[in-house]
Amino acid sequence: MTRIFSGIKPTGHLTLGNYLGALRRWVEVDQHQADALFSVVDRHALTVEHDPARVRRLSRQAATLLLAAGLDPELCTIFVQSHVDEHARLSCLLECTATDGEVRRMIQYREKGTQARAAGQSVRLSLLTYPVLMAADILAYGADEVPVGEDQTQHVELTRDLAVRFNQRYGHTFTVPRATHPPVAARVMDLQDPTSKMGKSHDSGAGIVCLLDEADVVRKKIMRAVTDSGREVEYDRATRPGLANLMEILAGCQGGNPDDLAGVYESYGALKKDTAEAVVELLRPVRERHAELAADPGYVDKVLGQGAERARSVARPTVDAAYRAIGLLPA
Ligand code: AMP
Ligand code: TRP
């Protein structure tokens, strides 16, 4: 059976980008078709300036939202990364497989490093080693597929390189995974700055739709989305990024194709209105279910406890095999 692994960082409130780019497919497709594991990767949230209480709160909220969006603990495994030691054990070995040159090339490291420096903060060493920990997340589970948004392609490529290199040097140990992306909305852009990704930790809240935003807030953000001064509704990501983003969001909500929306709308206003309503309807059940689940933290804890136990049992044999293969003396 195909094995799937993916993760989400508790660095901020989950966004429409997380939902359309990753979470929705985990719910609708992946958990039904594969042995799927989904993790709130909390150690990744420590790679940038953080507030301990906030990370703890956001980790619980992210887990609750995974359930609210429809991940079913009967069908898949849901857990918190730091509850399973195998991630840390394996990332040590992969740090001895990766080179500093290849991790320094990662776009996310360069962007986040620049942001931290611009804010007068130091760059944590863990920001540099982050993709190695991510590779450990994936390889520990022998994942065949990693369903992610487009921004994670480079990290999954590095994971593949590390798996191949380790296998060549020390004998076959790891499955070489591949990234999978949704057909549309694999990269949802910021509504106020459609040339940059809609990201959780972005400063401007106005361009980001959070999964828990009230319906009226969602409407306001989408109606105020930046578009160009043209009139015709046509799909062109390069020259009309704001418009294209709205069309992708609407197509993503409806399960259609953004190209097919060109010609359907006579004005930007009409497109925005339909996009806003489609997003509101998409998120309504998630918000409602989140409210119910948040009132029962005992249930969420139980799911996470069972998930961690299953995750450990899947990861341990592979990580133990990697310890032996690389030359460490068995205990
Ligand atoms: P993160 O919030 O960075 O932990 O991302 C969790 C998942 O959501 C990853 O698979 C990302 O690729 C995906 N994702 C995050 N932001 C976006 C976005 N703006 N558009 C599409 N996918 C996204
Ligand atoms: N780096 C991913 C992101 O920023 C989150 C992540 C961590 C992840 N470990 C993973 C995604 C393993 C997929 C598989 O979105």
Side-chain angles (χ1 to χ4, degrees), residues 5-7 9 41 44 108 130 134 137-138 146 148 151-152 155:
F5 180 92
S6 200
K9 303 191 294 272
V41 286
H44 290 278
Q108 198 166 326
Y130 170 124
M134 174 164 164
D137 298 339
I138 297 167
V146 187
V148 281
D151 61 319
Q152 295 304 311
H155 290 157

Side-chain angles (χ1 to χ4, degrees), residues 62-300:
T64 309
L65 272 168
L66 295 188
L67 292 167
L71 286 185
D72 178 350
E74 300 287 324
L75 297 176
C76 67
T77 302
I78 304 160
F79 70 101
V80 174
Q81 180 194 34
S82 65
H83 295 177
V84 179
D85 290 340
E86 289 5 87
H87 299 245
R89 289 180 68 215
L90 184 54
S91 71
C92 290
L93 303 195
L94 296 179
E95 283 181 16
C96 305
T97 309
T99 65
D100 86 309
E102 66 192 342
V103 292
R104 280 182 206 285
R105 277 199 293 278
M106 295 292 118
I107 298 164
Q108 198 166 326
Y109 167 67
R110 294 209 279 193
E111 283 179 358
K112 294 225 160 123
T114 308
Q115 275 167 19
R117 280 187 208 96
Q121 294 161 354
S122 50
V123 177
R124 296 184 178 181
L125 180 58
S126 55
L127 188 68
L128 180 64
T129 55
Y130 170 124
V132 179
L133 176 59
M134 174 164 164
D137 298 339
I138 297 167
L139 298 181
Y141 295 94
D144 303 284
E145 289 181 12
V146 187
V148 281
E150 238 169 51
D151 61 319
Q152 295 304 311
T153 308
Q154 197 188 28
H155 290 157
V156 180
E157 280 301 313
L158 175 71
T159 305
R160 290 168 59 85
D161 290 346
L162 298 182
V164 169
R165 193 177 306 155
F166 191 102
N167 288 346
Q168 276 170 354
R169 285 189 190 156
Y170 309 116
H172 185 82
T173 309
F174 298 123
T175 303
V176 181
R178 63 185 189 91
T180 59
H181 305 295
V184 270
R187 187 173 179 82
V188 177
M189 308 308 272
D190 189 291
L191 298 172
Q192 290 298 316
D193 173 12
T195 57
S196 67
K197 186 186 79 161
M198 183 185 284
K200 297 196 211 88
S201 31
H202 212 274
D203 291 341
S204 119
I208 301 163
V209 174
C210 296
L211 299 190
L212 293 178
D213 279 346
E214 302 275 343
D216 278 345
V217 174
V218 173
R219 287 193 187 97
K220 206 178 283 168
K221 286 178 178 175
I222 294 180
M223 295 309 289
R224 289 185 184 162
V226 168
T227 47
D228 56 79
S229 55
R231 302 192 64 120
E232 303 248 311
V233 177
E234 49 185 29
Y235 179 66
D236 186 338
R237 247 189 153 181
T239 58
R240 307 174 75 179
L243 189 62
N245 191 35
L246 290 171
M247 293 168 88
E248 289 209 17
I249 292 172
L250 179 55
C253 292
Q254 295 175 337
N257 190 324
D259 271 321
D260 297 340
L261 295 170
V264 172
Y265 287 95
E266 303 224 321
S267 72
Y268 289 9
L271 172 71
K272 283 183 172 176
K273 197 152 178 291
D274 279 7
T275 307
E277 290 315 313
V279 173
V280 166
E281 286 315 313
L282 186 76
L283 300 186
R284 186 191 306 282
V286 180
R287 267 192 27 201
E288 287 173 359
R289 185 82 184 111
H290 177 270
E292 288 167 21
L293 286 164
D296 188 2
Y299 171 72
V300 178

